[in-house]
Amino acid sequence: MRRRARTITRIGAALAAALLATTAQQGLATGMVPGQAGGVAFDQRLALLPIGAATAAGTAQADADRAARGKVRAAQRLASGQPKTYAEKEAAGTSGANDTVATAEAVPDFGSARGKSPKASITGDLALGDVPRLPQAAEDNGAIALAADTGLMGSRKIVEIPGVIGDGPHGKAGDGHGDFDFYQVSGVPTVTPLSVDVTAANGLNAVVIFYDSNGGSFVYLDDPTSGNVSSTVQLPAGDWYVMVSGWGSLPGNATDPASGNGAGSEGPYTLRLANGLDGDRDLYSVDLKAGDVLGATVTGGSQTLSFYDAAGTELESSSSDNSGSYALNSPLPGGGNATVDLVAPKTGRYVVAARSGVGPYTVDLEVYRPGTETETAGTVQTLFLDFDGARVNTSMFGGNGAQRDLSPLSAFLANWGLTAADEGKLIDAVVATVKENMSRDLAARGTNPDFAIRILDSRHNADPFGKPDVSRVVVGGTTKEAGIDTIGIAQSIDPGNFGHEETALLMLDYVSKPAPDPNSFNTFLAPGADKIAFIGRALGNYISHEAGHFSGSWHTTEKNAVANIMDQGGNPRQMVGAGPDGLGGNADDVDVDYTTDAYDAQFTGAEDTLNRTAWAYSRGRR
């Protein structure tokens, strides 16, 4: 049984508190923790964060809500039809037969075309390979400074070590403080899945705790049913220490071998550690049509999923389940160790890879056509831009359900040196930018031949929000009014656009502060610039960013030179289109568009935000 420990009530209150804190740190390292400000927890994956925002780890309730959504999604998947089953042809315990894109095993009869199954359940096994068995570590190895070196993260990728709890000077036969065995895992280069398995014998009920180099507890693992431990821990970069002990015995100080609270269960064990970034990987190919929305989640021994194209380009890899950010009515799978999604930009062969771990696993694959394409013939998705202010229930962003009144765009004009007479021209400039980003560019450069979107705004149109197939971006309000400390936030990240009636917010207090605030448009205004043209383009880019989320795109990195509409916050100069001189509103300005770019924190690979967005808006064909 593979399990992440949650039984922290069985240990001391001080250590329990420390473990709770470091569990939040682990989530942050893997991109799983939402932010919190003003009493409202929110998912940072959905937010355009300002520089210097006072965001912190989200509440335990926000984490629990997201985990519950993943379980509901998994249950819905099982209830909605039986998948086609496929068993890996590579023999269990071996590797090398399907480890590359060129040797990927083809999954037959899977796809969105008529006569094919849109669901597949792939079972396989990640091989251990040769497992070097080290000699038992000499006692006393009961503290960080005395830890036995495992040699992992170098040439050794997996290791097996025998041990005994109770044979040291502090066991029941010694001074009775409790026997602890420490093992060092040095030089973890980046966030790395480390598989840990303890097979206990002769009455030992094993406990495993991970410590950092300062002696801070990171993760606590046990399984009171079996007495064994089997789990995978996402380790951030650095040096780490794995402690094995028996139930009932915990160190008060990881640097002092005699600091235990008493001897607990004792007996022999075998410890196996495996670096999950290396080793066996199993690849499977599927044939997709342009616009197919492919989702995958993995359970069991594999901790990482990847999508590749036929040329071997990494399209998306993940070691975490981010499906809690999907739209509530998205059919894509989730709830596993890792979840990935793909909108196929062209017809052809694509590859899914299960890796990072050991042992049996199951990959659930599902494919769908994008949402609006399956609507009644002629249906077109509407995007409404609301500049008049609005009352918004913040629960859709993870808030407490309070109705919040947001100020209109007109309340911020003076902050940019504009007057009431400029409002109409500014709105027209904003709308023109959004139409260029989300209509003309997508129609001209995307691969969707049935692309269609209707963009309306509150200056020229009655508010249609609340009708079918209408999503909106509310432009106005402050972080205090919304209770959310971010520039913008979307209701979901929705690959395939299955939630057709969603909301995003673009608050205006940060972007209208006086210069030289690093988040403000005023900071980037060139001398003599056309304020309306520049601010209109900047606002249009930020609106397109938020709409891009509920159109299906995740954040791309703001740390490279590629200017992408979906860049995460932290580089407003790039998002507003300021050119090489760092100022906007002059001749060297840059047209920022949806394009292909590297992902931000949650994934690795190349995200095609252009075609993710283009295929979100297909004319209804049913």
Side-chain angles (χ1 to χ4, degrees):
M1 176 182 180
R2 188 164 294 273
R3 148 192 185 113
R4 296 185 191 274
R6 290 290 182 265
T7 322
I8 58 175
T9 55
R10 295 173 58 184
I11 62 181
L15 181 56
L19 288 172
L20 278 172
T22 51
T23 299
Q25 292 173 9
Q26 183 187 13
L28 189 58
T30 57
M32 290 295 291
V33 175
Q36 183 180 24
V40 176
F42 65 93
D43 187 342
Q44 292 185 23
R45 293 169 296 193
L46 306 175
L48 184 63
L49 297 173
I51 297 171
T55 55
T59 62
Q61 185 60 50
D63 287 335
D65 288 347
R66 187 170 58 252
R69 283 181 59 184
K71 292 179 180 179
V72 169
R73 200 177 300 282
Q76 290 172 337
R77 185 175 71 250
L78 293 174
S80 61
Q82 292 300 313
K84 177 183 179 60
T85 59
Y86 179 85
E88 180 187 16
K89 291 184 171 61
E90 181 183 65
T94 65
S95 62
N98 59 355
D99 289 18
T100 68
V101 169
T103 60
E105 297 182 21
V107 180
D109 301 322
F110 171 81
S112 65
R114 181 171 297 181
K116 293 190 174 184
S117 173
K119 299 181 181 182
S121 181
I122 303 171
T123 55
D125 184 271
L126 293 176
L128 287 173
D130 294 329
V131 183
R133 187 175 176 87
L134 301 185
Q136 182 174 332
E139 291 288 348
D140 181 15
N141 60 337
I144 284 177
L146 306 173
D149 190 1
T150 63
L152 287 174
M153 303 299 156
S155 59
R156 186 178 293 153
K157 307 304 180 186
I158 187 170
V159 66
E160 203 170 76
I161 311 170
V164 177
I165 297 300
D167 63 341
H170 307 295
K172 291 178 181 177
D175 61 22
H177 289 296
D179 185 25
F180 313 115
D181 291 350
F182 279 75
Y183 301 91
Q184 183 175 10
V185 180
S186 301
V188 177
T190 185
V191 176
T192 299
L194 185 79
S195 296
V196 54
D197 293 271
V198 177
T199 303
N202 297 350
L204 175 65
N205 192 334
V207 170
V208 171
I209 300 178
F210 281 73
Y211 291 92
D212 62 24
S213 57
N214 296 316
S217 55
F218 184 68
V219 173
Y220 172 93
L221 303 168
D222 78 351
D223 185 349
T225 301
S226 68
N228 302 320
V229 171
S230 183
S231 190
T232 297
V233 175
Q234 301 290 336
L235 288 182
D239 296 334
W240 296 92
Y241 298 85
V242 183
M243 186 216 73
V244 181
S245 67
W247 162 241
S249 183
L250 293 167
N253 184 343
T255 65
D256 180 359
S259 67
N261 62 344
S265 67
E266 296 183 341
Y269 65 88
T270 299
L271 169 68
R272 177 180 288 161
L273 298 171
N275 171 4
L277 285 181
D278 297 280
D280 188 20
R281 57 183 63 205
D282 296 336
L283 277 68
Y284 305 90
S285 65
V286 296
D287 292 325
L288 301 178
K289 298 191 300 181
D292 275 351
V293 185
L294 182 66
T297 191
V298 65
T299 54
S302 173
Q303 301 297 313
T304 301
L305 275 181
S306 301
F307 281 140
Y308 300 91
D309 65 15
T313 302
E314 181 187 27
L315 302 178
E316 184 178 272
S317 295
S318 175
S319 298
S320 58
D321 175 22
N322 295 289
S323 64
S325 294
Y326 290 160
L328 286 173
N329 54 348
S330 172
L332 296 182
N337 302 330
T339 299
V340 286
D341 53 72
L342 170 70
V343 179
K346 60 182 180 180
T347 299
R349 179 151 291 188
Y350 295 84
V351 173
V352 60
R355 57 190 182 91
S356 301
V358 294
Y361 61 83
T362 299
V363 175
D364 289 310
L365 275 179
E366 298 184 21
V367 63
Y368 299 89
R369 293 304 297 172
T372 50
E373 180 181 303
T374 63
E375 294 291 291
T376 304
T379 298
V380 174
Q381 173 81 49
T382 295
L383 175 64
F384 181 65
L385 311 182
D386 191 345
F387 300 97
D388 290 342
R391 175 167 289 185
V392 178
N393 189 318
T394 59
S395 63
M396 70 180 70
F397 308 111
N400 57 14
Q403 294 284 352
R404 301 280 185 153
D405 291 313
L406 304 181
S407 302
L409 170 70
S410 60
F412 299 89
L413 296 175
N415 296 353
W416 292 308
L418 301 175
T419 68
D422 297 316
E423 182 180 8
K425 295 178 182 178
L426 178 60
I427 289 175
D428 288 347
V430 173
V431 173
T433 299
V434 175
K435 286 184 175 179
E436 186 258 329
N437 291 336
M438 300 197 65
S439 182
R440 289 194 299 275
D441 284 353
L442 299 180
R445 296 164 47 215
T447 60
N448 184 0
D450 294 321
F451 172 83
I453 188 173
R454 180 184 296 111
I455 298 174
L456 305 178
D457 67 87
S458 57
R459 179 173 185 238
H460 300 97
N461 309 101
D463 188 344
F465 187 71
K467 296 180 180 179
D469 302 305
V470 178
S471 289
R472 64 174 174 173
V473 180
V474 177
V475 185
T478 67
T479 55
K480 183 177 181 180
E481 289 173 346
I484 304 174
D485 188 16
T486 184
I487 293 173
I489 190 165
Q491 188 171 342
S492 76
I493 296 169
D494 188 14
N497 185 26
F498 298 104
H500 303 166
E501 296 89 28
E502 299 217 46
T503 294
L505 307 182
L506 179 60
M507 277 81 77
L508 300 181
D509 49 337
Y510 274 110
V511 299
S512 66
K513 288 184 176 182
D517 186 282
N519 301 293
S520 177
F521 298 159
N522 289 315
T523 301
F524 302 99
L525 270 170
D530 183 336
K531 288 184 178 182
I532 290 176
F534 171 69
I535 294 169
R537 186 178 71 239
L539 283 174
N541 287 346
Y542 278 46
I543 291 168
S544 301
H545 175 102
E546 296 309 328
H549 279 317
F550 57 56
S551 305
S553 289
W554 302 88
H555 280 139
T556 53
T557 182
E558 79 283 9
K559 298 180 178 66
N560 62 17
V562 179
N564 194 321
I565 287 291
M566 296 311 301
D567 279 355
Q568 171 57 291
N571 191 354
R573 166 181 166 175
Q574 192 155 276
M575 279 291 292
V576 301
D581 65 358
L583 298 174
N586 56 18
D588 69 348
D589 285 0
V590 175
D591 180 17
V592 184
D593 293 316
Y594 298 104
T595 186
T596 299
D597 195 1
Y599 283 95
D600 187 44
Q602 281 72 45
F603 306 96
T604 60
E607 183 179 21
D608 183 352
T609 64
L610 171 69
N611 281 304
R612 276 183 176 260
T613 312
W615 280 99
Y617 302 105
S618 296
R619 194 179 303 275
R621 298 173 59 185
R622 188 176 64 193

